[in-house]
Amino acid sequence: PSMTYNLVCDSVVQHALEALVVLHDEEKYLVVALSLVSRLLSLDEEKKYKSQLLSDDVLDTCLFAVKNYTSGSIIHFACVLLLLALEDAARVERILTKTLVEKLVSLLSSHKDEEEVCDDLVGFLAFCVNSPKAEYVLAIDAATPVNECMMKYYHNQALVEKCLHLLSLLRSVGHLDIQQILSSMKEYPVNAAVQRDGCVTLVHYLETDVKNAKRVMELKGIAICEEAVERFFDDLQIQLNGMKLLSLVATQEACLASLIECSTPEASIRSIKRFPEERALVESCVSILARCASVETSFISNSGSLEFIIEVILKHKENDAILLDGCRFITSCSKDSRLGHGMIDAG
């Protein structure tokens, strides 16, 4: 404690700030000054020197370093300090410019061999997407370098989680190679964040072009998503996004046999039973059931759930999509003699 007290004092802080000015144009020395400022901030538990250590002059130096220098260490410390400053919403306008965001994406591409820098940049870009300046990230292709980063550091679960979260926010992912997204979901099956954001990203991927469903099927993505939905049966976000993904896959006739083989209809029934009031979830599940029932209906007769499903459909009858797919589902069921009693009981 005494060392900490002696280190974080007026004179040391002043010397650190002076070093930033003197070493501004010397990359290999400026990194030392920035690391000292970062360390002083972490030791300043009472935040006594925070305003000085994160002054506009310090931020200008950090911005200059990010835009003009290339060493991984200097990018790391500049990002750390800028993110600390961004805790003050009033500074977003000053820091998050279009030029800075474009530079951050460029650095992610050029520094993909530096794991810590990739971690910093992915975290920074995720902050940007969640800020009032999100359009700067959404206007450029950040998804490609983020996906490449995830491919390279597939063994780093925390970084994979960060990458998938950022991809789930970007939306424009239709051009990506989704193999690593599915591989990450398979590699970390008990990580709820990875499963949720993987499903969200794949939903955006299919919304760009639903014919991409065939690619999801070819990469065994149906089974991977199915496992996520089954494992996290009580997680509404995973249910919503997992079932939305599977409902998009179900729009492609060539994928229906694989969906039935992977027990997707049964998972849909379980999901409806758990969340019968969640309209968006019911819509996805009924869509899956309607399309799969056009191929076969044994999953309905085996489940003994026909009456309940019809009741849920009728409960949401003001929703056109649910009502239309519900009618298709009921029509298919009516052709199966094994389901006659259930149809009569449900009226």
Side-chain angles (χ1 to χ4, degrees), residues 210-233:
V210 77
K211 291 178 182 176
N212 285 332
K214 188 178 178 184
R215 178 66 174 155
V216 173
M217 179 180 69
E218 290 168 348
L219 293 173
K220 312 298 183 186
I222 294 172
I224 292 169
C225 180
E226 175 73 27
E227 184 180 344
V229 169
E230 293 286 7
R231 184 183 296 274
F232 296 98
F233 59 86

Side-chain angles (χ1 to χ4, degrees), residues 93-228:
E93 198 73 32
R94 178 186 183 87
I95 297 172
L96 294 186
T97 62
K98 184 172 182 286
T99 303
L100 175 68
V101 171
E102 289 175 349
K103 184 64 177 179
L104 293 174
V105 173
S106 173
L107 287 169
L108 187 57
S109 293
S110 61
H111 286 69
K112 65 181 68 167
D113 291 333
E114 298 180 67
E115 190 168 351
E116 184 179 43
V117 178
C118 288
D119 193 290
D120 293 325
L121 292 169
V122 170
F124 206 132
L125 289 168
F127 179 92
C128 294
V129 177
N130 283 310
S131 78
K133 302 296 180 181
E135 71 271 14
Y136 294 153
V137 186
L138 300 177
I140 54 180
D141 178 20
T144 297
V146 172
N147 199 40
E148 290 172 351
C149 175
M150 184 168 62
M151 288 182 191
K152 188 169 183 66
Y153 300 109
Y154 63 90
H155 56 276
N156 182 335
Q157 183 173 177
L159 183 51
V160 166
E161 187 176 319
K162 277 188 176 183
C163 289
L164 269 176
H165 182 59
L166 180 50
L167 287 174
S168 75
L169 298 171
L170 293 178
R171 296 181 180 275
S172 297
V173 295
H175 61 289
L176 290 183
D177 178 355
I178 60 165
Q179 184 160 7
Q180 189 55 50
I181 296 169
L182 290 166
S183 294
S184 295
M185 292 176 70
K186 188 174 182 179
E187 181 73 19
Y188 303 110
V190 299
N191 185 315
V194 166
Q195 300 305 313
R196 180 195 64 234
D197 291 328
C199 286
V200 173
T201 304
L202 291 169
V203 166
H204 295 154
Y205 173 73
L206 292 185
E207 285 177 336
T208 302
D209 184 355
V210 77
K211 291 178 182 176
N212 285 332
K214 188 178 178 184
R215 178 66 174 155
V216 173
M217 179 180 69
E218 290 168 348
L219 293 173
K220 312 298 183 186
I222 294 172
I224 292 169
C225 180
E226 175 73 27
E227 184 180 344

Side-chain angles (χ1 to χ4, degrees), residues 11 13-14 24 33 35 46 63-64 79 99 103 195 198 221 228 231 233 236 250-252 270 324 326 336:
S11 60
V13 169
Q14 193 57 41
H24 184 275
S35 68
E46 296 180 2
L63 291 168
F64 174 84
C79 285
T99 303
K103 184 64 177 179
Q195 300 305 313
R231 184 183 296 274
F233 59 86
L236 179 57
T251 63
Q252 303 303 295
R270 286 190 286 273
L324 181 60
D336 187 336

